[in-house]
Amino acid sequence: MIEEFIKYTDSYKKYGEMIDLKINHTFRVKDLCLEIAKSIGLTKEGEHLAELCGLLHDIGRFEQWKRYKSYKDLDTIDHGNLGVEVLRNNNFINKFSSDNYDTILKAVKYHNKYKVPNTLSDKNKLFVNITRDADKLDILYLVSKKTLGIKTEDSKMSKKVYNDLLNGKLIKKSDIKTKADQIAVRIGFIFDINYSVSYKIMKEKGYIDKIIDNQIEETNNEELKEQLLRLKEMSRKHIEVMIK
Ligand SMILES: [Fe+2]
């Protein structure tokens, strides 16, 4: 299955190094999916399916970059939906695995949505949730090491976004008003994680602390610094609670 994926993505490499960014992200997400699957005791078959969902979750990214030269869904296209289209058009899943067709499509489609519909079957929901956790963990990794840098400049978080976070709510994209709000979205990931092992990884790697510390270092806005320190406290407590 990896060979098929590499063959497919190789044909997009001519569109530049932004393609590599997503290929590398994909392989890390695939490994994280496996780690999560193991932690919850899935069978070998389940582990394999989790890896497949990770491998294919961002398959729409390559076509998105080719068409729009952008990864911004809001300005271009929803890359989860595009991924489903790509898989259907290329008859990809039959090449990868003829079983579990629907589960893989759902994992691709819903990995990036604000909410997962509760109409999904238990099996589909399981693999959607694994993929979502793995994807978020790798995004936090990238932001923490500044690969996906967010420059807050001197902005602070908008009141609604900041208060939503303190109250444990996920940030809606439509509420994002300032650059600092984009940091809030990443911190808000801690309220949308499904498995204890994901919280453990988050804590061990110190992703949230790193993201917050980097921002505190970079900003001159005292109010933002204070907001960030309070959010650091809050997120540490939340992660501790969720690990237990
Ligand atoms: Fe994605």
Side-chain angles (χ1 to χ4, degrees), residues 57-58 61 79 111-112 135:
H57 84 286
D58 257 354
R61 285 299 198 187
H79 75 275
H111 86 272
N112 65 332
D135 189 34

Side-chain angles (χ1 to χ4, degrees), residues 1 29-55 100 123 126-127 130-131:
M1 67 177 188
V29 169
K30 177 180 97 53
D31 291 346
L32 283 163
C33 283
L34 177 62
E35 197 173 339
I36 296 168
K38 284 192 166 158
S39 83
I40 55 174
L42 294 192
T43 59
K44 279 275 165 249
E45 199 195 326
E47 288 177 14
H48 182 69
L49 181 54
E51 280 190 285
L52 205 47
C53 291
L55 185 71
N100 304 311
K123 180 187 172 189
L126 170 68
F127 289 93
I130 291 174
T131 309

Side-chain angles (χ1 to χ4, degrees), residues 110-111 113-114 116 128-136 192:
Y110 292 113
H111 86 272
K113 301 295 185 284
Y114 181 72
V116 181
V128 167
N129 284 342
I130 291 174
T131 309
R132 286 170 70 92
D133 270 27
D135 189 34
K136 286 196 178 73
D192 190 23

Side-chain angles (χ1 to χ4, degrees), residues 113-161:
K113 301 295 185 284
Y114 181 72
K115 275 226 160 91
V116 181
N118 42 27
T119 49
L120 292 182
S121 71
D122 287 348
K123 180 187 172 189
N124 288 352
K125 194 164 192 179
L126 170 68
F127 289 93
V128 167
N129 284 342
I130 291 174
T131 309
R132 286 170 70 92
D133 270 27
D135 189 34
K136 286 196 178 73
L137 284 171
D138 197 60
I139 294 172
L140 290 177
Y141 161 74
L142 287 169
V143 177
S144 75
K145 69 175 197 106
K146 299 186 184 175
T147 305
L148 284 182
I150 300 168
K151 290 257 172 282
T152 51
E153 286 158 7
D154 283 333
S155 78
K156 56 175 183 170
M157 283 178 201
S158 357
K159 266 214 168 69
K160 173 160 188 345
V161 165

Side-chain angles (χ1 to χ4, degrees), residues 32-210:
L32 283 163
C33 283
L34 177 62
E35 197 173 339
I36 296 168
K38 284 192 166 158
S39 83
I40 55 174
L42 294 192
T43 59
K44 279 275 165 249
E45 199 195 326
E47 288 177 14
H48 182 69
L49 181 54
E51 280 190 285
L52 205 47
C53 291
L55 185 71
L56 296 175
H57 84 286
D58 257 354
I59 198 78
R61 285 299 198 187
F62 309 102
E63 192 57 30
Q64 182 183 30
W65 186 263
K66 180 186 167 184
R67 289 188 199 171
Y68 306 100
K69 298 287 176 290
S70 166
Y71 287 137
K72 284 188 183 153
D73 283 17
L74 278 181
D75 302 339
T76 62
I77 192 168
D78 180 299
H79 75 275
N81 297 349
L82 181 58
V84 169
E85 204 183 298
V86 167
L87 289 177
R88 285 208 172 113
N89 291 345
N90 288 282
N91 199 18
F92 242 122
I93 296 180
N94 282 336
K95 285 185 201 164
F96 285 112
S97 141
S98 52
D99 306 327
N100 304 311
Y101 184 78
D102 190 48
T103 303
I104 295 169
L105 282 189
K106 293 289 188 298
V108 173
K109 183 177 172 75
Y110 292 113
H111 86 272
N112 65 332
K113 301 295 185 284
Y114 181 72
K115 275 226 160 91
V116 181
N118 42 27
T119 49
L120 292 182
S121 71
D122 287 348
K123 180 187 172 189
N124 288 352
K125 194 164 192 179
L126 170 68
F127 289 93
V128 167
N129 284 342
I130 291 174
T131 309
R132 286 170 70 92
D133 270 27
D135 189 34
K136 286 196 178 73
L137 284 171
D138 197 60
I139 294 172
L140 290 177
Y141 161 74
L142 287 169
V143 177
S144 75
K145 69 175 197 106
K146 299 186 184 175
T147 305
L148 284 182
I150 300 168
K151 290 257 172 282
T152 51
E153 286 158 7
D154 283 333
S155 78
K156 56 175 183 170
M157 283 178 201
S158 357
K159 266 214 168 69
K160 173 160 188 345
V161 165
Y162 179 60
N163 285 330
D164 277 358
L165 258 193
L166 282 180
N167 291 315
K169 286 189 196 153
L170 267 185
I171 308 301
K172 283 211 171 92
K173 279 188 177 160
S174 52
D175 285 334
I176 299 172
K177 301 279 186 278
T178 71
K179 296 214 166 178
D181 290 347
Q182 292 177 20
I183 300 295
V185 174
R186 306 310 189 199
I187 298 172
F189 280 3
I190 63 169
F191 302 121
D192 190 23
I193 291 290
N194 301 289
Y195 301 105
S196 157
V197 70
S198 310
Y199 283 108
K200 276 188 201 144
I201 294 170
M202 216 182 256
K203 183 187 168 185
E204 266 166 38
K205 308 274 183 181
Y207 290 148
I208 301 289
D209 281 1
K210 275 185 201 162

